[in-house]
Amino acid sequence: MSNVRVAVVTGSNKGIGFSIVRALCQQFPGHVYLTARDPGRGQEAVKKLEEEGLHPFFHQLDIDDLQSIRALRVFLKEKYGGLDVLINNAGIAFKVNDTTPFAVQAEVTLKTNFFGTRNICTELLPLVKPYGRVVNVSSMVSQSALGKCSGELQQKFRSDTITEDELVELMTTFVEDAKKSVHEKKGWPNTAYGVSKIGVTVLSRIQARMLNEKRKGDHILLNACCPGWVRTDMAGPKAPKSPDEGAVTPVYLALLPSNADGPHGQFVSEKTVQTW
């Protein structure tokens, strides 16, 4: 089915991811894959959308599990010869009043939000077809967390030459510093979620640069975005946006027309490029 276009949304059995799948089913001319760690919950979510007259497909995916990521890669390669749209939405956050030790929060949050997202990209970016679109769902919190970093860290995270290896080293250092309870002394902000999303935004900037260097003629556009503060299990009931409203910017970036030459390598909120 290599002539059929295909979109994959990670972490999409509920919340913003679910709303992104719904919007893509309505607007994307091809197959849309809803993914979830738990096949039962995934199939349930698919059923809900089928009741609305939409036709998503399902594939199991746990971004913390390399075997699961690789199984999806093999499936996409064999069935479609690659993929056209990848939206990395899967992520976790501890609640503000969670009493889990910060060291544990740091390790667990970074494992999924940064390292899991990076693993997906390592495995699936090579499969993205010409004119493909990649959207890494980050957060405005990455901007505020960046502002709370030391000047030295800010300089590194804003650098236009930082490599993926250097970024990985910084993210690993944060977890190690958190374990030793010296993260604030070393210039880190006191937010594991914020640091994980700095990682996602900077990773996106690096990946876009790599695409420019290695696949310039393929017209692939890759961006990080902030969906806004959305009423989900993660953000709570007081948030101003509905999940469908939260899906607007990720979907906009996923459906950028084939003649668009940007945005690319940007951090986008409310469909607008933000200064990093």
Side-chain angles (χ1 to χ4, degrees):
M1 303 186 81
S2 61
N3 57 343
V4 175
R5 296 182 69 203
V6 61
V8 172
V9 186
T10 72
S12 50
N13 59 294
K14 61 179 185 176
I16 297 167
F18 181 76
S19 285
I20 291 171
V21 170
R22 174 191 280 133
L24 288 177
C25 283
Q26 292 164 340
Q27 300 172 56
F28 176 75
H31 291 180
V32 180
Y33 278 82
L34 183 152
T35 69
R37 281 182 297 199
D38 177 326
R41 286 185 189 159
Q43 298 288 7
E44 221 172 284
V46 163
K47 214 154 79 216
K48 264 189 221 162
L49 291 173
E50 284 174 345
E51 282 162 13
E52 295 177 21
L54 302 171
H55 302 284
F57 293 78
F58 176 73
H59 200 286
Q60 192 276 342
L61 176 67
D62 177 356
I63 73 165
D64 286 343
D65 176 2
L66 205 46
Q67 291 318 109
S68 172
I69 295 173
R70 288 182 172 155
L72 176 62
R73 183 194 69 192
V74 169
F75 170 78
L76 291 168
K77 184 105 176 75
E78 286 178 357
K79 183 159 175 134
Y80 299 96
L83 82 160
D84 300 277
V85 170
L86 171 62
I87 300 186
N88 285 311
N89 165 77
I92 60 161
F94 285 85
K95 299 281 183 251
V96 177
N97 54 2
D98 195 302
T99 54
T100 306
F102 189 76
V104 177
Q105 292 197 24
E107 185 158 35
V108 171
T109 306
L110 273 277
K111 180 181 195 264
T112 297
N113 294 4
F114 177 73
F115 291 101
T117 300
R118 175 179 177 248
N119 286 340
I120 282 270
C121 292
T122 302
E123 299 294 328
L124 297 189
L125 279 186
L127 261 62
V128 175
K129 295 179 181 180
Y131 298 96
R133 304 290 181 250
V134 181
V135 185
N136 294 329
V137 178
S138 183
S139 166
M140 274 316 212
V141 180
S142 69
Q143 272 185 323
S144 56
L146 181 67
K148 290 177 187 149
C149 287
S150 67
E152 188 190 346
L153 283 171
Q154 287 191 39
Q155 208 177 346
K156 287 177 179 170
F157 288 133
R158 288 199 169 105
S159 160
D160 289 329
T161 54
I162 185 174
T163 65
E164 193 170 320
D165 287 345
E166 286 167 344
L167 177 60
V168 166
E169 200 178 320
L170 283 165
M171 293 289 120
T172 306
T173 301
F174 168 70
V175 174
E176 285 165 4
D177 288 347
K179 283 181 179 171
K180 296 181 206 143
S181 296
V182 297
H183 59 283
E184 289 184 282
K185 205 162 78 188
K186 295 281 186 78
W188 295 101
N190 201 32
T191 160
Y193 183 76
V195 172
S196 76
K197 293 301 194 176
I198 289 174
V200 170
T201 302
V202 176
L203 182 66
S204 307
R205 287 161 55 89
I206 294 167
Q207 289 168 340
R209 240 175 39 226
M210 291 301 104
L211 286 169
N212 287 348
E213 286 171 24
K214 295 181 175 152
R215 297 185 63 181
K216 189 66 187 159
D218 282 351
H219 306 281
I220 295 165
L221 298 178
L222 182 153
N223 293 283
C225 73
C226 170
W229 190 21
V230 178
R231 289 187 294 280
T232 58
D233 290 352
M234 192 154 111
K238 293 196 180 78
K241 280 187 171 188
S242 69
D244 285 350
E245 289 168 330
V248 168
T249 292
V251 169
Y252 155 74
L253 291 170
L255 298 179
L256 287 167
S258 57
N259 61 357
D261 52 9
H264 179 56
Q266 302 292 343
F267 179 61
V268 181
S269 175
E270 307 295 342
K271 299 196 198 171
T272 310
V273 169
Q274 307 292 313
T275 309
W276 178 247

